Amino acid sequence: MTMASSNSPIHVDDGFNEYESAAKRQKSITSKVWDEMTKLECENKNELKAQCNHCKTIFSAKSSSGTFHLRRHLNSCLKKVNKDISHYTIATQPSLGGVPFIKNYKFDADECRKVVSTFLVCGKHSFRTVEEPGFRYMMSIASPNFKNISRYAAARDVLMYYAKERDRVKEELARVPGLICLTSDNWNSEHTNDEYICITAHWVDENWKLQKRIIRFRALFPPYDGLNIADELVLCLSQWGIDKKIFSITLDNASYNNVMVSCLKNRFRANRAILCDGVFFQIRCCAHILNLIVKAGLELADDVVAKIRNGIKYIKKSGTRRKRFYDVADKSFHLNVTKKLRQDVYVRWNSTYLMLESSLYYKDVLDYWGQRDKDYQLFALSNEEWRIVAILCKFLKVFYDVTCVFSGSNYPTANLYFRGVWKVHKVLLDTVKGPYSFLTPMVKQMQEKFNKYWAEYSLILSCAAILDPRYKLNYVQHCFTTIYGIHASDFVETILSNLRLLFDEYVKKSKSTSSSLVGSSNVSDKNPVDSSLGEHNVNNVDFGGDFDESDDYKRYLNESSTRSEKSQLDIYLEELELELNSQIDVLDYWSKSSVRYNELSLLACDLLAIPISTVASESTFSMGKKVITPLRSSLKPKTVQAVVCLDDWIRAKGFSTEIGCKNDEDDEDDVSSITF
């Protein structure tokens, strides 16, 4: 990416400025007087008249005359006595006597169009929806004053709404008390073949709540290599004003990410915007690693899994066969048939686990079916094969439970990851030593991939775990001892020394901030007595020219006291841990401890916000597939970004698709008896 000269500015379609044109095209707001006045055409085209809808008086309506005289007439019009019932509505809350009352209602066209934009964005509806007869009829009943708009006006409204919300999110990011963590991933749209980058910001706000916002969902220009993506990231961070507030970035296992991270580190080092020389900067997506590990292992047990997959497919293929199967399960085996047989998606191992789990639940029914259906006998399992499925299912449950935590929609704080990853590590070690020989080759293949991840990222996971008051250093030592035995102390010492280095960075930053705040007051806050002594005391003799040994002495005293005093980190680690399985909000703990552990709480605020998976970005791609459909493949990339980001920002403010559902009257209606 080449930089333009400052003397010859070039407009760049950079994902920020391109939205300003939508606001410029916005039509001037029409005066409210025209709701009660009618424009009249005159023979002289240069002249325009207006007629009052109430008293039929005619007035001049030249643009040069303005509308003040029309508004003044409407305020005093004698015929304007009966209020339009459409400007009233039944109050949602009854009066004190329990009787509903009528309250004043004022139609707001701008607010109504904003709500329509929210409907289109959060429902992933086409802009053409506003031109459909059904939508227009609905609006005419729900809000008779609403004026129909075209799909082009709807698209403009969304772009303007996005630009306004973008500025609000930018202000929100500027107020972030600590640093910001990023997740980034790429996605290719099958309908447009465009390569999109999604960048999500994660942070802990001033109320100690974990926040996340999508700040980029933008089509890239080829080549899609590490350097180009690094340029896109730097541009994005600069536009949002957070290029000096980045703590870490979480990425998947793509090869170009190594080049990108190296480039980003060099740029941040040049700006002195990276901590501990980047030791905590890059995090690999843990959910992605677990996915690779399990998929590699399942390939070795593919024969048994394929039998179950094809058997379930055979039963579910016929509606009659499926009904008979569940009837047998219910009447002969007394099983709860609301729990259904699950088919898996071949590329998603977690769905394969759920398929195996459901097959074990219906094991007796499947055996019964195999004895009576000749076509199914090809997929019937022997007792030994069922034993393998039971062991495999138990083995995979640990991975499934951990992945559910890592991939939760309420993105967990970083302290929770260590315990989950350690459980996976422990299961792999125990299984290799266990009695099930058929699992050994599978687990060894899984271990190779896992050990590489653990070696690179156990440091970050461990530091986050130490800042959980239930775990602290003792739990980390216990886990490492279980894995490494007598060599565990070396690993723990490395972790602790890196955590101390990181803490020292925060102490320095805190001191520099406080000194800059009080620097100006120190100049004028001299003690007048000390000042007079300095000027008139005959004992104040200069023995060394400009040298004053008192400065060195004060520095020595400060360093001595620093060495003798325990740091906040040491005090925190010496305190007793909380109950291991107690339910606490770790951010709430540090919020309440921020007065006592000032610098350490700042470190905890940033370290606990690190996302260990790219789920936040990957879930956005699912949304992107709903936005870019075969019928909407001509959407401009800037419109796609506006829709995706705006949807995320609206939901972050509390918007829910379930608003009003609790008041729905027809939830319990049985439609099965309705004849179509």
Side-chain angles (χ1 to χ4, degrees), residues 8-218:
S8 56
I10 298 175
H11 173 74
V12 180
D13 187 16
D14 58 7
F16 257 52
N17 297 331
E18 59 187 335
Y19 295 94
E20 309 307 330
S21 57
K24 292 177 182 177
R25 287 197 301 269
Q26 185 182 15
K27 293 181 180 179
S28 58
I29 298 173
T30 305
S31 174
K32 300 292 183 183
V33 301
W34 297 112
D35 293 337
E36 300 176 70
M37 289 277 184
T38 302
K39 292 181 181 180
L40 301 176
E41 293 184 0
C42 302
E43 293 182 5
N44 184 358
K45 293 185 178 180
N46 295 326
E47 192 174 356
L48 187 64
K49 299 289 185 180
Q51 185 180 52
C52 176
N53 294 343
H54 307 291
C55 65
K56 306 304 179 184
T57 306
I58 296 176
F59 302 90
S60 171
K62 286 184 178 180
S63 58
S64 59
S65 302
T67 57
F68 178 75
H69 64 296
L70 303 179
R71 189 180 298 107
R72 184 174 56 201
H73 166 76
L74 290 171
N75 290 336
S76 59
C77 181
L78 298 176
K79 295 285 187 179
K80 184 184 175 184
V81 288
N82 296 322
K83 301 288 185 181
D84 186 355
I85 193 66
S86 66
H87 290 283
Y88 290 85
T89 184
I90 302 297
T92 55
Q93 298 295 331
S95 61
L96 294 176
V99 180
F101 62 93
I102 294 178
K103 69 175 184 178
N104 190 23
Y105 159 73
K106 186 177 181 181
F107 174 75
D108 189 330
D110 294 334
E111 187 65 23
C112 199
R113 285 179 68 158
K114 181 180 176 182
V115 170
V116 170
S117 296
T118 302
F119 164 77
L120 294 173
V121 167
C122 294
K124 318 298 182 297
H125 300 294
S126 167
F127 296 129
R128 196 183 293 272
T129 302
V130 299
E131 295 179 346
E132 292 178 1
F135 178 85
R136 291 187 168 180
Y137 176 69
M138 177 186 69
M139 293 303 296
S140 69
I141 299 299
S143 183
N145 293 325
F146 179 74
K147 293 182 179 179
N148 292 327
I149 59 175
S150 68
R151 61 181 181 272
Y152 304 108
R156 262 197 318 272
D157 286 352
V158 167
L159 294 181
M160 288 188 293
Y161 192 6
Y162 165 82
K164 187 181 295 185
E165 286 297 304
R166 180 200 63 199
D167 294 340
R168 185 190 62 79
V169 173
K170 190 173 182 180
E171 291 175 3
E172 198 174 356
L173 290 172
R175 295 195 305 269
V176 172
L179 299 179
I180 296 170
C181 303
L182 303 175
T183 55
S184 177
D185 205 352
N186 288 12
W187 169 69
N188 182 270
S189 170
E190 60 181 320
H191 303 301
T192 63
N193 206 30
D194 287 326
E195 186 83 8
Y196 282 85
I197 183 172
C198 179
I199 305 172
T200 311
H202 305 254
W203 73 93
V204 175
D205 64 17
E206 59 270 19
N207 298 316
W208 286 86
K209 300 296 181 185
L210 194 60
Q211 301 288 345
K212 74 104 185 163
R213 300 287 186 276
I214 298 171
I215 59 174
R216 197 73 148 192
F217 191 85
R218 180 172 166 76

Side-chain angles (χ1 to χ4, degrees), residues 111 272 346 363 373 379 399 521 558 578 588 598 642 650:
E111 187 65 23
R272 297 182 179 179
Y346 185 73
K363 172 185 177 298
D373 188 331
F379 314 118
F399 291 85
S521 62
N558 287 333
L578 301 181
D588 183 60
N598 185 17
I650 292 173

Side-chain angles (χ1 to χ4, degrees), residues 468-485:
D468 188 322
R470 295 167 297 184
Y471 303 156
K472 294 193 178 180
L473 193 58
N474 284 335
Y475 183 77
V476 174
Q477 285 176 325
H478 160 71
C479 294
F480 274 86
T481 302
T482 305
I483 297 171
Y484 298 112

